[in-house]
Amino acid sequence: METELDKIKVRITQKETEIKDLWEKIRTAKENPKEEIVKELKGIKRTTGQHPGGLLITLPNTDIQKYTPLNYPADNRQAECLTTHFEYSFLSEMFLKVDMLGHDEPTILQKLFKLTGVDPEKISFRDEKVMKLFTEADTLGIPEFGTYFVKRNLLTPLKPTKFSQLVQISGFSHGTNV
């Protein structure tokens, strides 16, 4: 009877073989890669990016390294944390993922209310001053919208004018299959 661990080992071996085969095709290609190789490589992740709020929950006394290798983010050996080497979709079959981002927002909103006297519940989704912040990509410090990636690639070219567009941008900022 095949166990879950055996299935995982088989999948890892298959992926390793696929990667080795692709690497060999690339290595042997001369000046211009063949169209088939380009199609096969399209969509492969190019970085060791990480989700800052994504946590994998394991059973007590479980050594995560039995399931996935760990690495330093962006090969920075001075980093305070380690990240899993596989993408989340591979590990999601075995572990629970908890997204911790967003849990600080109620506390932040409460502190801002105390500091400014502005009740966040009374800010209209149609407030022109608020929307202007997003249209002009002046969003430093606003969760989900303050990163350089979101400002440069989504807010600046799209110039949202409606709350519904902000919701879409927030979704797009996380990529696909998330």
Side-chain angles (χ1 to χ4, degrees), residues 3-135:
T3 67
E4 280 297 312
L5 186 56
D6 292 334
K7 290 178 185 177
I8 292 168
K9 287 178 181 179
V10 168
R11 285 177 63 191
I12 290 171
T13 302
Q14 290 170 342
K15 291 295 178 186
E16 285 176 346
T17 302
E18 287 176 33
I19 290 169
K20 286 177 184 176
D21 290 346
L22 281 173
W23 183 251
E24 184 59 28
K25 285 180 184 179
I26 292 170
R27 193 185 68 73
T28 57
K30 300 280 183 192
E31 300 273 323
N32 297 320
K34 294 180 180 177
E35 190 64 31
E36 306 89 50
I37 295 174
V38 172
K39 286 179 185 176
E40 289 183 45
L41 292 176
K42 187 176 181 182
I44 289 179
K45 298 192 183 315
R46 297 174 297 213
T47 66
T48 57
Q50 66 191 47
H51 188 287
L55 302 175
L56 289 175
I57 307 300
T58 66
L59 294 172
N61 301 318
T62 300
D63 181 3
I64 191 72
Q65 291 187 63
K66 288 183 179 180
Y67 302 95
T68 178
L70 300 178
N71 65 329
Y72 291 98
D75 294 326
N76 175 5
R77 298 207 176 266
Q78 306 305 315
E80 295 180 23
C81 64
L82 293 172
T83 58
T84 59
H85 187 69
F86 294 113
E87 65 179 276
Y88 164 70
S89 61
F90 179 79
L91 296 173
S92 66
E93 296 174 9
M94 298 175 288
F95 299 106
L96 170 66
K97 179 197 176 223
V98 177
D99 186 352
M100 296 304 290
L101 289 178
H103 293 273
D104 290 333
E105 275 76 14
T107 303
I108 293 168
L109 290 173
Q110 182 182 32
K111 288 180 180 181
L112 287 172
F113 176 56
K114 286 180 181 178
L115 288 170
T116 65
V118 176
D119 185 348
E121 291 184 25
K122 295 193 174 148
I123 298 174
S124 169
F125 290 131
R126 293 180 177 85
D127 187 295
E128 289 181 24
K129 290 179 184 175
V130 172
M131 288 308 301
K132 186 176 179 184
L133 292 172
F134 294 96
T135 302

Side-chain angles (χ1 to χ4, degrees), residues 145-163:
F145 295 95
T147 66
Y148 179 71
F149 171 81
V150 171
K151 290 163 62 168
R152 179 189 52 152
N153 294 313
L154 300 171
L155 294 175
T156 300
L158 297 175
K159 300 198 181 306
T161 58
K162 299 176 188 172
F163 179 76

